[in-house]
């Protein structure tokens, strides 16, 4: 890994990918085809991109039963315990509707209503992601969403990974469809003969999925345009190089575009970590992916002081931040921008990916400056409630009418005056 001394401001914010013109046109054509031809288009694109011909898009009961046979009892118990932890955490995020009454009889409030239907895109490709199922479905259920739909690209056998199917079944999801890519996003947004449309789409995917989510935004809501995974480790001389190297590689193995960064005031630690990363890379099953990630987006930044290191972290605004210092709780208060914060050497980032309870769907590309990780709030709507009393309108009607006329909206003013209270 390259080691660089940092003495001033540092920003590694990446431009959020918007794709090439050719990719955008391809996505627009796919969406048009799905809107026009429905299931026929979905099956055609599944055959073209996934090299499998499907009779049915819906996952069958027999596929669920087969998936359970592939999962060990130990793994099933772990998945269930992780689900319980995640549910417990998200239950604490739940908001309630409220109303308050003022002395003049006015009632103001807020009504919390869950979305009717949401869609979850679970990526396929080089790995299976049952954790993504847990992290997206559980907060939707806690929020009270009644209809939850999962879409995911099928493998060459025409089914989905066992872990994904088991996780979905454990949570009671009934609608699981074997379709991926931009065509799956189009189906969720506009509907087909088999897949009814949803109100909001969640989940990461490749550039075509990201572009499709951009295209359908407005017809439906979307969660975010997710970029490659990121980790920043903020560490001082008390940290252990082998542990930091392992944590950096845990993100690097995700994707060749993933970013793994150490920020430290210790040059000694920086050199040790760089050596450890190269050593540990040699035995990784996903060595090629992790090595490419480290070569392109891996870095170690050395500052003069811990305070300067903290400033660098806030500039980076990382998706995942580990604080491995002598007093991590004292550092926590100085962190302004991070999607998730892991404190101390035993809070390795994969603890949050799978088991602790907080959501692992987090802002990337420096967007932790202004956005948060996935929560129950993403699955509800908030409606304001106003019951204005006659007394309140008598007291405030002239002010409201004057405000309306100041904006040149005479009809607004007259609507207040029509009540005969002004």
């Amino acid at each position: 890994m390259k080691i660089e001394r940092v003495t001033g401001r540092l920003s590694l914010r990446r431009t959020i990918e918007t794709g090439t013109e050719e990719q955008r046109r391809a996505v627009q054509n796919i969406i048009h085809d799905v809107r026009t031809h429905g299931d026929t288009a979905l099956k055609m694109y599944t055959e073209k991109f996934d090299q499998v011909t499907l009779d049915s898009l819906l996952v069958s009961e027999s596929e669920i039963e087969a998936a359970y046979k592939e999962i060990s009892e130990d793994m099933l118990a772990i998945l269930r315990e992780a689900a319980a932890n995640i549910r417990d955490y998200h239950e604490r995020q739940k908001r309630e509707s409220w109303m308050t009454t003022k002395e003049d009889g006015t009632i103001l409030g807020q009504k919390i209503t869950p979305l009717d239907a949401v869609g979850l895109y679970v990526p396929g490709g080089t790995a299976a992601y049952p954790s993504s199922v847990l992290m997206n479905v559980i907060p939707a259920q806690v929020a009270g969403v009644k209809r939850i739909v999962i879409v995911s690209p099928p493998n060459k056998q025409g089914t989905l990974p066992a872990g994904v199917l088991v996780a979905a079944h454990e949570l009671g999801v009934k609608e699981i469809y074997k379709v991926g890519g931009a065509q799956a996003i189009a189906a969720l947004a506009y509907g087909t003969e088999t897949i009814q449309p949803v109100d909001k789409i969640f989940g990461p995917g490749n550039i075509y999925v990201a572009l499709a989510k951009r295209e359908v935004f407005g017809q439906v809501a979307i969660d975010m345009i997710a970029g490659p995974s990121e980790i920043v480790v903020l560490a001082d001389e008390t940290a252990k190089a082998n542990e930091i190297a392992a944590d950096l590689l845990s993100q690097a193995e995700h994707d060749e575009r993933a970013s793994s960064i150490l920020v430290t005031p210790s040059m000694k630690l920086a050199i040790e970590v760089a050596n450890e990363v190269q050593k540990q890379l040699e035995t990784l099953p996903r060595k090629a992916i992790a090595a490419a990630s480290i070569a392109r987006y891996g870095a170690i930044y050395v500052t003069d002081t811990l305070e300067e290191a903290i400033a660098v972290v806030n500039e980076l605004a990382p998706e995942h931040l580990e604080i491995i210092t002598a007093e991590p709780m004292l550092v926590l208060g100085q962190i302004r921008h991070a999607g998730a914060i892991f404190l101390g050497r035993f809070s390795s980032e994969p603890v949050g990916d799978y088991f602790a309870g907080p959501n692992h769907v987090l802002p990337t590309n420096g967007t932790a400056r202004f956005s948060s990780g996935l929560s129950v709030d993403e699955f509800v709507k908030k409606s304001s409630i106003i019951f204005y009393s006659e007394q309140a309108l008598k007291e405030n009607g002239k002010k409201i009418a004057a405000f309306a006329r100041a904006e040149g909206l005479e009809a607004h003013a007259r609507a207040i005056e029509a009540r005969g209270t002004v």
Side-chain angles (χ1 to χ4, degrees), residues 393-421:
L393 195 60
K394 283 180 178 178
E395 291 176 358
N396 300 309
K398 286 184 179 179
K399 302 169 195 173
I400 297 168
F403 210 144
R405 288 191 172 103
E407 292 191 347
L409 298 173
E410 179 62 24
H412 280 62
R414 292 182 185 181
I416 295 298
E417 293 168 346
R419 266 70 186 170
T421 57

Side-chain angles (χ1 to χ4, degrees), residues 350-408:
V351 169
D353 271 351
Y354 300 111
F355 204 75
N359 210 287
H360 75 195
V361 180
L362 300 164
T364 59
N365 284 325
T367 58
R369 301 180 336 272
F370 53 78
S371 59
S372 310
L374 189 65
S375 72
V376 173
D377 281 349
E378 298 297 321
F379 296 91
V380 302
K381 304 173 296 178
K382 305 174 185 73
S383 302
S384 57
I385 299 169
I386 302 171
F387 173 85
Y388 223 50
S389 67
E390 182 178 1
Q391 179 184 341
L393 195 60
K394 283 180 178 178
E395 291 176 358
N396 300 309
K398 286 184 179 179
K399 302 169 195 173
I400 297 168
F403 210 144
R405 288 191 172 103
E407 292 191 347

Side-chain angles (χ1 to χ4, degrees), residues 142-157:
V142 170
V145 177
K146 298 302 182 189
R147 178 171 171 252
I148 299 171
V149 182
I150 291 176
V151 293
S152 187
N155 56 31
K156 296 294 192 298
Q157 290 71 47

Side-chain angles (χ1 to χ4, degrees), residues 34 42 151 179 182-192 195-198:
V34 172
L42 293 182
V151 293
V179 58
Q183 60 272 24
I185 302 301
L188 291 175
Y190 295 102
T192 69
I195 304 174
Q196 295 302 304
V198 300

Side-chain angles (χ1 to χ4, degrees), residues 74-85:
D74 287 346
M75 188 61 231
L76 184 56
I78 291 168
L79 190 150
R80 287 170 174 167
E81 189 174 351
N85 293 341

Side-chain angles (χ1 to χ4, degrees), residues 98-114:
W98 59 268
M99 285 194 287
T100 183
T101 304
K102 304 179 102 176
E103 290 183 5
D104 61 11
T106 294
I107 300 173
L108 301 176
Q110 181 173 262
K111 184 177 185 295
I112 306 294
T113 308

Side-chain angles (χ1 to χ4, degrees), residues 27 31 185-186 188-190 199-201 209-225 378:
V27 166
I31 292 172
I185 302 301
L188 291 175
Y190 295 102
D199 300 313
K200 190 169 183 178
I201 300 173
V209 171
L211 291 176
K213 287 169 75 173
R214 281 180 179 274
E215 287 290 330
V216 302
F217 177 66
Q219 174 70 25
V220 292
I222 61 172
D223 54 349
M224 65 179 76
I225 304 295
E378 298 297 321

Side-chain angles (χ1 to χ4, degrees), residues 44-95:
M44 183 269 289
Y45 281 117
T46 299
E47 187 169 352
K48 178 179 180 180
F49 296 131
D50 302 305
Q51 288 81 55
V52 62
T53 302
L54 298 176
D55 293 326
S56 173
L57 298 170
L58 182 67
V59 169
S60 66
E61 286 295 327
S62 61
E63 288 175 280
I64 299 289
E65 291 170 7
Y68 270 89
K69 292 176 182 177
E70 290 187 40
I71 297 292
S72 70
E73 286 298 322
D74 287 346
M75 188 61 231
L76 184 56
I78 291 168
L79 190 150
R80 287 170 174 167
E81 189 174 351
N85 293 341
I86 295 164
R87 192 174 298 277
D88 178 69
Y89 183 87
H90 288 82
E91 285 283 357
R92 299 168 193 274
Q93 296 178 336
K94 230 174 147 178
R95 297 196 187 206

